[in-house]
Amino acid sequence: MSFTGGRTVKRAFEFGRTYVVRPKGKHQATVVWLHGLGDNGSSWSQLLETLPLPNIKWICPTAPTHPITIFGGFPSTAWFDVGELSEDASDDLEGLDASAAHVANLLSTEPADIKLGVGGFSMGAATALYSATCYALGKYENGNPYPSNLSAVVGLSGWLPCAKTLGNKLERMEEAARRIASLPILLCHGRGDDVVAFKFGEKSSKALTSTGFQDVTFKAYNGLGHYTIPEEMDEVCSWLTSKLGLEGCSS
């Protein structure tokens, strides 16, 4: 955000193309799935289409393209700006809010009886977890109300933004306690991840649990780097089927 002549100038966020995978069976849940840095919604939509989850509609948006600090200002698709992956890195709250609001907007037109979820990979996972905290707090960082009623959150090879301040914010809100007690979260991370270190996934899981999220599952995969494998996606499938109460494949 820049300041010119006393006026606050907001960044413009132009989101890319959205890819939708229709449910092959009875529509019971809709999940927005968020790609990683430099990727787009198409690649994940192709993978998600192959999963044995006939009751889920997948929405795979594409992040805005803007200059990314970690790339020395080179433009890339990204849900928010990132300068470094470390404990003390500052969070791009404006970018996170814009992306979380985009996710909520994509979910806003789903029928009332459809369960809603958000998931993602790497930076997409970070945005999904940020959405979980917005849901718990009932608002974005900018104070606007968070509208979506989430039933499941999945984060693969990611991290939790704003982890240090989350506990203090949640403690001040009684309503948040009810939401975080019931929201299921699945985190998966490879021990061999050389992009988003395994410790970030592990610490994110502990941060969520310590702030009151009671249904957090953390799965570690030996030898897995910064990518996904069928074993991990099998876990996602069985977890979503269980947590969303899906009927599964009809015989």
Side-chain angles (χ1 to χ4, degrees):
M1 190 178 283
S2 58
F3 297 89
T4 52
R7 266 186 326 114
T8 302
V9 180
K10 284 194 171 182
R11 283 149 58 197
F13 295 96
E14 298 260 342
F15 290 88
R17 184 177 167 188
T18 298
Y19 299 80
V20 177
V21 179
R22 304 277 171 199
K24 297 175 178 69
K26 179 186 174 187
H27 184 198
Q28 292 180 289
T30 297
V31 178
V32 173
W33 191 271
L34 306 171
H35 63 75
L37 178 62
D39 202 357
N40 60 61
S42 174
S43 55
W44 275 99
S45 71
Q46 292 170 45
L47 171 65
L48 296 168
E49 192 163 18
T50 67
L51 300 182
L53 292 168
N55 310 116
I56 292 183
K57 171 184 173 183
W58 299 96
I59 302 176
C60 303
T62 299
T65 298
H66 40 179
I68 303 303
T69 304
I70 204 169
F71 292 160
F74 191 81
S76 178
T77 53
W79 301 110
F80 53 92
D81 189 24
V82 60
E84 58 174 333
L85 285 178
S86 75
E87 313 284 315
D88 304 311
S90 59
D91 292 294
D92 172 20
L93 295 171
E94 191 185 1
L96 282 161
D97 272 353
S99 291
H102 187 62
V103 170
N105 187 49
L106 290 169
L107 290 170
S108 66
T109 53
E110 293 303 296
D113 61 335
I114 298 300
K115 290 184 176 174
L116 308 177
V118 57
F121 174 78
S122 191
M123 172 182 268
T127 308
L129 293 175
Y130 182 75
S131 295
T133 62
C134 291
Y135 164 72
L137 293 163
K139 61 182 179 180
Y140 301 99
E141 182 68 27
N142 62 22
N144 293 338
Y146 184 80
S148 299
N149 184 22
L150 299 180
S151 294
V153 175
V154 179
L156 310 182
S157 311
W159 71 94
L160 174 66
C162 311
K164 286 184 175 175
T165 56
L166 182 59
N168 290 338
K169 290 177 188 168
L170 290 171
E171 279 172 13
R172 296 198 297 268
M173 297 190 61
E174 280 182 37
E175 181 65 16
R178 181 183 61 78
R179 292 198 197 99
I180 60 177
S182 60
L183 178 63
I185 299 177
L186 172 66
L187 300 179
C188 301
H189 218 108
R191 291 186 185 275
D193 196 324
D194 57 350
V195 178
V196 180
F198 176 77
K199 67 176 182 180
F200 288 121
E202 199 171 36
K203 286 184 177 180
S204 297
S205 173
K206 288 175 179 171
L208 288 165
T209 305
S210 67
T211 51
F213 286 88
Q214 293 177 20
D215 191 354
V216 178
T217 303
F218 182 72
K219 293 280 182 180
Y221 293 85
N222 291 327
L224 177 63
H226 198 63
Y227 48 88
T228 186
I229 50 173
E231 182 189 354
E232 185 181 44
M233 296 314 295
D234 287 347
E235 179 66 39
V236 171
C237 287
S238 57
W239 186 87
L240 283 172
T241 299
S242 167
K243 296 300 181 183
L244 295 174
L246 304 178
E247 290 174 8
C249 299
S250 53
S251 53

